Amino acid sequence: MASVRRRKTIEPRNTSVQKEDEEEEEEEVEEDYSKNKHSRKSDKKSKPKWSCVDNCCWIVGCICVTWWTLLFLYNVVPASLPQYVTEAITGPLPDPPGVKLRKEGLKAKHPVVFVPGIVTAGLELWEGHQCADGLFRKRLWGGTFGEVYKRPLCWVEHMSLDNETGLDPPGIRVRPVCGLVAADYFAPGYFVWAVLIANLARIGYEEKTMYMASYDWRLSFQNTEVRDQTLSRIKSTIELMVEANGGNKAVIIPHSMGVLYFLHFMKWVEAPAPMGGGGGPDWCAKHIKAVINIGGPFLGVPKAVAGLFSAEAKDIAVARTVGHAIAFLEALALMDLLGTIYLIICARLLVLIYLYICIPALVLFVVNVLEHPSTCRAIAPGVLDNGFQTMQHIMRMSRTWDSTMSMIPKGGDTIWGDLDWSPEEGYTPMKSKQRNTDTQKASQDGPESEISQTKRANYGRIISFGKDVAEALSSDIERIDFRDAVKGQSVANTSCRDVWTEYHDMGFGGIKAVAEYKVYTAESMVDLLRFVAPKMMERGSAHFSYGIADNLDDPKYQHYKYWSNPLETKLPNAPEMEIFSLYGVGVPTERAYVYKLSPSAECAIPFQIDTSADEQDEDSCLKGGVYSVDGDETVPVLSSGLMCAKVWRGKTRFNPSGSRTYIREYAHSPPANFLEGRGTQSGAHVDIMGNFALIEDVMRVAAGATGEELGGDQVYSDIFKWSEKVNLQL
């Protein structure tokens, strides 16, 4: 009983203690809760926001992870995987032309000389100002373009020529890169001559039988000899190659502006010294088997007019409209980063994606825009903190490049048409066209382009101020001549000296006069450029001409300014020399433009393509202020084909010895999927250098075949029909 009572007496005491303990615990919990709540509030208030530094750290981390992943794939993935994947999806790939022709037993025979075009050959620094320290013999043009975004103003300064002489500015020497590497690739992964060189090597060619005639493409053609003796080096190299190869004549392969450069060379080499090379009237007959012109702008390109007039072209005008935020230097900075990555991973898994998406997107911006290197209008001024107005600087730089004036349309209204007609009149884009290899059939019975019910395009009106002017009857257009107009006071000369272009010497009176003339044809276009860019055209007029010779025996045509115009000079006296014109067709190519005055702004170029000028019809030739015709995206068919189709065909006053001419067209076929890269059937101006059919034709000629053995003419376009409309005395 006693023990029981003790328990009872103890239990109440334990219960009370337990209650006290529980109360203390509750108080502690409440106190902790209140502290935690207060702490959370204070943490919430004091919690730092996500900063730009955090974003940068995450980006750097992602780049590092991606970098090491790519390095891992580089060492793990078999080099043959891309080809295996491609063949699994698209089927077996055809043999490259070099492999195919080697199986046929073809071997290297004639030495070959490559003549690159504008912007596709590398330039390197030999002497510069202090801002260019560390760049000795580094590429300023070509490669990764790293210096463009590292020191943009310095780059522009060193890439510019003297505005008075067209030669080197004081204290600066930029020179062409030598050897096959000068133009095999324009940028990492973006080939120009590399595919052709590799295929020629498969049948036995090597560096002693191949020569890249690189030159400073910024200079006028004669000035490449004055400054660098480039023409003399080409002459001596060809002579050495012919002698070293048992007397086998050379096959010359110019591309783009290189076509005009080699036309100049053929006159220079036979002309007496000191103006010429002193080779004598039979030099070409002794040393040249064939000239295979690829994408040749024989008669110029309207795209050059848009570039020189307003520093833009179709792609740039559209880019300006859809996105001023994309800056030129930022694009090149990204190109440099992608190029660096490519150098490490190019041989393996991601090369196909990289080649098709990254490099073309960036390099086509440079090639298509800078193919005529004044065409950089889309860049928004002031995107850089240092006030580097990209558009004006690019125009200032490119207007010192005299070579751009070699591609102004030649032949005037006789070739390109006037207010009421043009050779391509009636052309509309076609879905397809049957191949036609017979010259007479093509000229007489050849299939015509499908004519839709869309409005008639007046291609002869290269520049029209307003869509209504482009479509109006010529009798309804009231024009005020601009040639004697008073330019007035300078619009922006005071504050724009650092980015000076010749527009800053024009007042509102001059700008108004240009717009009130309303429409410009090929002939008045030259006068327009003299009006808006007198200093540039004064230099250009000393080196280039754009007319048609009435009498080719006139002594004045012995001057070098006429040598690159095929309408003002004769072909060499070389009856056995063959001349080919190889070019792509089936790609919309710029032919005429609709312009408008730009909004008044200080330091602005006062004219721009009117991208709102458009036709809703799917088959219309007018898109975004640009009228298009058939061509290779840069050179219209008329410019590439007319000389070999008509002017040089047979014995004419322009071809007195009757050198045989051939046209070989290649219908454009874009790659079926991204695995095909830039494709092997492309007809685009630069991509055609990887066209298997074209490469095969070139290789067969180099191995000894004639034009007849190739099959003669290969025609898809209406070039023979259009050539009949050109009323030119032959």
Side-chain angles (χ1 to χ4, degrees), residues 277-298:
D282 59 350
W283 190 93
C284 291
K286 290 179 178 179
H287 295 90
I288 300 176
K289 174 194 185 295
V291 182
I292 306 177
N293 302 289
I294 302 176
F298 290 102

Side-chain angles (χ1 to χ4, degrees), residues 174-243:
V174 175
R175 297 293 182 263
V177 177
C178 296
L180 296 177
V181 297
D184 54 353
Y185 289 92
F186 174 68
Y190 193 87
F191 68 81
V192 182
W193 294 91
V195 178
L196 177 57
I197 292 172
N199 280 280
L200 285 167
R202 287 189 169 101
I203 62 170
Y205 279 91
E206 49 191 281
E207 198 145 12
K208 68 180 181 181
T209 50
M210 293 189 287
Y211 171 61
M212 183 69 71
S214 60
Y215 58 98
D216 190 337
W217 43 261
R218 301 172 302 161
L219 299 174
S220 68
F221 301 156
Q222 189 69 10
N223 274 345
T224 63
E225 174 66 16
V226 171
R227 195 195 72 178
D228 301 334
Q229 292 74 54
T230 301
L231 299 174
S232 294
R233 288 189 289 110
I234 294 174
K235 174 178 178 285
S236 60
T237 301
I238 292 176
E239 290 172 346
L240 177 61
M241 294 175 75
V242 170
E243 183 179 354

